[in-house]
């Protein structure tokens, strides 16, 4: 059984993935970041991990007979081998996802690559890499105080209770393609690009 109670976020990077078919661009962050506010870290942890309740595992498949030919597997392996490679490999994954976003029905959105520590699964404690994509924006009302009068303004953002696409790669059995959990809320034919075309 997966237990994320003591899991910690060690690093995050966010990139924006446009729809290549529509001529949208890929927008890469210059750096990683880690919020200093512990409340924000707890919210992010809940957003990224709370949807994973079942122990349904997948594993990466080799491309052309070799696991290292699978781009996401190769990037995860590089990060597990050297944490300093985290940003560079996040760019590789973002570029790979952008290349697969070549269908008019694929929504653009933010791609979050997250390095987790102290994940507890059946085999014990391990690191993990999370890959998350948010495609749906919600409108929120925010209360502000302006010259001693409370007012409402509208803001757009992600709903932390709605995760569109997700993948967690546990650093377990790399020789068999790791243990991988996958989530995709779209359930359409186009969604195959996430599980098959992107993750492999």
């Amino acid at each position: 059984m997966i237990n994320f109670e003591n899991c910690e976020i060690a690093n995050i990077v966010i990139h924006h993935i446009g729809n290549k078919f529509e001529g949208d661009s890929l927008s890469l962050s210059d750096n990683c970041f880690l919020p200093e506010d512990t409340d924000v870290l707890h919210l992010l942890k809940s957003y990224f991990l709370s949807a994973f309740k079942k122990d349904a595992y997948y594993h990466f498949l080799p491309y052309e007979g070799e696991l290292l030919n699978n781009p996401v597997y190769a990037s995860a392996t590089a990060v597990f081998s050297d944490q300093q490679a985290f940003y560079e490999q996040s760019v590789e994954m973002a570029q790979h996802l952008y290349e697969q976003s070549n269908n008019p029905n694929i929504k653009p959105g933010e791609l979050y690559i997250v390095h987790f520590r102290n994940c507890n699964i059946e085999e014990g404690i391990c690191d993990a890499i999370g890959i998350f994509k948010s495609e749906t924006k919600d409108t929120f009302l925010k209360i502000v105080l302006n010259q001693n009068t409370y007012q409402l303004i509208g803001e757009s953002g992600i709903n932390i209770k709605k995760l569109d696409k997700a993948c967690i790669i546990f650093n377990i059995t790399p020789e068999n393609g790791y243990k991988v959990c996958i989530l995709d809320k779209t359930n359409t034919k186009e969604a195959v690009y996430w599980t098959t075309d992107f993750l492999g």
Side-chain angles (χ1 to χ4, degrees):
M1 182 173 177
I2 306 173
N3 184 339
F4 292 121
E5 188 176 342
N6 296 317
C7 181
E8 300 169 354
I9 296 175
N11 214 344
I12 304 174
V13 66
I14 304 172
H15 304 298
H16 181 82
I17 312 294
N19 182 308
K20 186 178 179 182
F21 184 89
E22 300 290 343
D24 297 341
S25 63
L26 168 65
S27 181
L28 299 170
S29 288
D30 289 336
N31 295 294
C32 303
F33 84 104
L34 194 61
E36 294 179 9
D37 188 330
T38 55
D39 289 339
V40 173
L41 280 170
H42 286 304
L43 283 172
L44 285 172
K45 183 177 164 182
S46 174
Y47 173 59
F48 292 139
L49 302 176
S50 62
F52 290 96
K53 295 180 167 60
K54 296 179 182 175
D55 293 352
Y57 295 109
Y58 299 83
H59 60 87
F60 290 108
L61 294 174
Y63 283 11
E64 298 172 358
E66 291 289 335
L67 272 168
L68 281 173
N69 289 337
N70 178 315
V72 179
Y73 174 89
S75 288
T77 300
V79 174
F80 288 139
S81 300
D82 178 9
Q83 294 177 21
Q84 299 300 317
F86 179 75
Y87 173 79
E88 176 190 340
Q89 294 305 318
S90 79
V91 170
E92 294 286 329
M93 286 188 265
Q95 290 171 335
H96 176 53
L97 180 58
Y98 179 69
E99 290 302 318
Q100 308 312 312
S101 302
N102 206 11
N103 183 299
N105 296 316
I106 294 173
K107 296 178 184 175
E110 282 69 44
L111 180 72
Y112 309 80
I113 312 291
V114 185
H115 186 192
F116 295 102
R117 291 199 183 108
N118 299 322
C119 298
N120 192 353
I121 62 175
E122 292 88 342
E123 289 84 352
I125 307 296
C126 66
D127 281 13
I129 296 167
I131 307 169
F132 310 92
K133 187 178 178 210
S134 62
E135 300 171 334
T136 308
K137 297 286 188 297
D138 284 348
T139 301
F140 300 91
L141 290 174
K142 183 177 180 181
I143 300 170
V144 295
L145 183 60
N146 185 6
Q147 297 179 348
N148 292 324
T149 301
Y150 286 101
Q151 299 175 355
L152 292 170
I153 60 171
E155 290 191 352
S156 178
I158 58 171
N159 185 332
I160 63 167
K161 297 190 184 299
K162 294 180 182 175
L163 190 60
D164 293 312
K165 291 176 171 52
C167 164
I168 300 178
I169 307 160
F170 296 101
N171 191 9
I172 297 289
T173 63
E175 68 281 1
N176 294 324
Y178 295 113
K179 290 187 84 164
V180 181
C181 289
I182 299 173
L183 178 73
D184 190 342
K185 293 287 174 94
T186 45
N187 292 326
T188 64
K189 289 180 182 177
E190 291 76 24
V192 88
Y193 95 99
W194 178 255
T195 55
T196 304
D197 299 340
F198 171 58
L199 295 171

